[in-house]
Amino acid sequence: MHPDLPFADDLGPARVIHVHQPALGLAATVVLDNLACGPAIGGLRMASDVTTAECARLARAMTLKNAAAGLPHGGGKSVLRADPRMPVADKERLIRAFAAALRHEHGYIVGPDMGTDETCMAWIHDEIGRATGLPRALGGIPLDQIGATGWGVCHATEVALARLGRPLTGARLAVQGFGSVGQHAARFLTARGARLVAVADSAGAIHNPDGIDPDRLLAIKAHGGSVVTYPGAQIIDAEALIGVDCEVWIPAARPDVIHAGNVDRLRAALLVQGANIPATADAERSLHARGVWVVPDFIANAGGVICAAFELQGATEGAALAAVEERIRANTATVLDRAQATGNTPRQAAETLALERVRGAMQTRRWGVY
């Protein structure tokens, strides 16, 4: 790594772009990590505390995610430093200004992420004609609305439980983060027989070992409420969620929620990463040593980007969801089987799978990462 080029290695990043317009309050960063497989697809994350370092880590995760999913796209990510709950008119102005600054950056296709949605993608598309995860009215496949990422997490969970010799029916499920990924993962998994026993959002967490009705929770969230207002469950501290007895624990919120300070409290047989980089490397190694299986983020949560890539090709919603199911089930099985055969962690196995594809693509490019 060059001292003047943080985050750089032989894979990338190809470009780091800082967008700054003080008069608008616009401060954003774009990291295009590796473009060997094609133009990057990666979400726009909007939060007050996002950093360039986080953006770079997420962009690398997108490189691996797109390659592992067999998509003709590289990896990129963008972060906009602002409160996503600001008035809609102010949010629109910021996002349109951000998009305008990227008008000539054809190596990056923006998608939705934390703090942004289909409407935000419509604003970007209106400015530069280049975005995915668009509303249906614009011919898009609304990823959050149909639960594309949660659909993939559901299938990754089912395959992993089968590899563990455990049934999905009756499996206890804890979900940390009840946004678009957590909500849909819970909905799909409970429809297949799992039992939701604990869930957390930004306001707190609840626990009921007898089961929590995800449809009632969805209704509460749809009316602007928090999971802590759900009747018939015990309110617990958000940090206590990690110690809930369950078979499956799904982090579906921010990075690094599982770390050296709390990993020993996890009481699950399986960790399926619905969020990007939700566990530190040390935590994943600790879980592996304890025999807890982990389905890494860029394998489990690739449903959104698979759906986005198929949207760009003009595919139907049904075809996109079928591709999510097929690819994530196959990749989850391959990664866990490789990990068992080699003794490596599932992340090591997943990275080997993805890097085989990235490096193969790099060999066909005159300038490697480009």
Side-chain angles (χ1 to χ4, degrees):
M1 181 181 293
H2 193 284
D4 294 328
L5 295 172
F7 329 118
D9 58 20
D10 62 321
L11 294 184
R15 287 192 282 286
V16 178
I17 304 162
H18 295 287
V19 179
H20 187 219
Q21 177 50 265
L24 292 174
L26 175 59
T29 300
V30 180
V31 176
L32 302 185
D33 182 58
N34 188 294
L35 307 178
C37 291
I41 292 181
L44 169 61
R45 174 166 292 196
M46 188 174 183
S48 301
D49 59 349
V50 287
T51 64
T52 298
E54 181 179 333
C55 189
R57 290 175 68 197
L58 292 167
R60 175 56 54 85
M62 291 305 302
T63 294
L64 300 176
K65 184 183 298 188
N66 291 338
L71 301 175
H73 292 286
K77 202 75 175 183
S78 53
V79 294
L80 180 55
R81 297 172 188 89
D83 186 347
R85 296 166 296 183
M86 67 173 58
V88 173
D90 294 338
K91 186 172 184 177
E92 179 177 358
R93 183 170 59 252
L94 272 186
I95 289 177
R96 284 183 179 273
F98 167 77
L102 299 180
R103 184 175 302 279
H104 302 295
E105 189 50 69
H106 297 287
Y108 178 44
I109 301 165
V110 189
D113 192 67
M114 189 179 72
T116 61
D117 58 14
E118 289 86 2
T119 300
C120 299
M121 295 307 104
W123 296 334
I124 293 172
H125 190 270
D126 184 50
E127 291 290 330
I128 63 175
R130 194 172 62 252
T132 190
L134 298 170
R136 283 196 179 94
L138 296 179
I141 301 174
L143 311 180
D144 290 344
Q145 184 178 332
I146 66 173
T149 304
W151 178 242
V153 168
C154 169
H155 286 285
T157 302
E158 187 171 33
V159 169
L161 282 173
R163 285 297 193 278
L164 279 168
R166 294 172 179 260
L168 178 56
T169 301
R172 295 168 298 173
L173 171 68
V175 178
Q176 188 264 342
F178 208 64
S180 62
V181 176
Q183 290 176 9
H184 288 293
R187 181 169 62 86
F188 290 132
L189 284 165
T190 55
R192 290 171 176 244
R195 177 160 43 103
L196 181 65
V197 298
V199 62
D201 63 13
S202 59
I206 57 174
H207 176 222
N208 184 345
D210 295 325
I212 296 167
D213 184 349
D215 290 331
R216 292 185 71 182
L217 275 184
L218 287 170
I220 290 170
K221 296 293 286 188
H223 288 88
S226 164
V227 300
V228 298
T229 64
Y230 178 89
Q234 178 187 1
I235 297 176
I236 60 174
D237 185 79
E239 274 295 312
L241 189 81
I242 198 167
V244 168
D245 285 325
C246 60
E247 280 68 51
V248 182
W249 209 88
I250 297 177
R254 297 297 300 270
D256 299 331
V257 296
I258 302 173
H259 48 77
N262 63 12
V263 65
D264 290 339
R265 292 162 43 207
L266 185 72
R267 294 291 177 265
L270 174 65
L271 181 75
V272 183
Q273 298 185 348
N276 291 317
I277 52 174
T280 64
D282 286 345
E284 288 194 9
R285 285 191 288 269
S286 176
L287 292 172
H288 183 67
R290 285 170 47 195
V292 177
W293 282 29
V294 177
V295 183
D297 48 4
F298 65 89
I299 298 298
N301 70 17
V305 76
I306 294 170
C307 207
F310 273 70
E311 176 188 308
L312 290 172
Q313 298 171 18
T316 65
E317 186 176 304
L321 290 175
V324 170
E325 178 179 347
E326 177 186 7
R327 296 185 185 210
I328 288 184
R329 292 186 75 92
N331 280 346
T332 300
T334 296
V335 164
L336 295 180
D337 289 349
R338 283 191 181 192
Q340 278 192 301
T342 61
N344 290 331
T345 67
R347 182 166 296 275
Q348 290 171 319
E351 288 180 351
T352 298
L353 172 69
L355 290 175
E356 287 171 357
R357 297 174 182 175
V358 173
R359 295 192 190 283
M362 289 174 69
Q363 292 175 5
T364 71
R365 296 286 183 146
R366 183 180 180 189
W367 304 116
V369 295
Y370 297 102

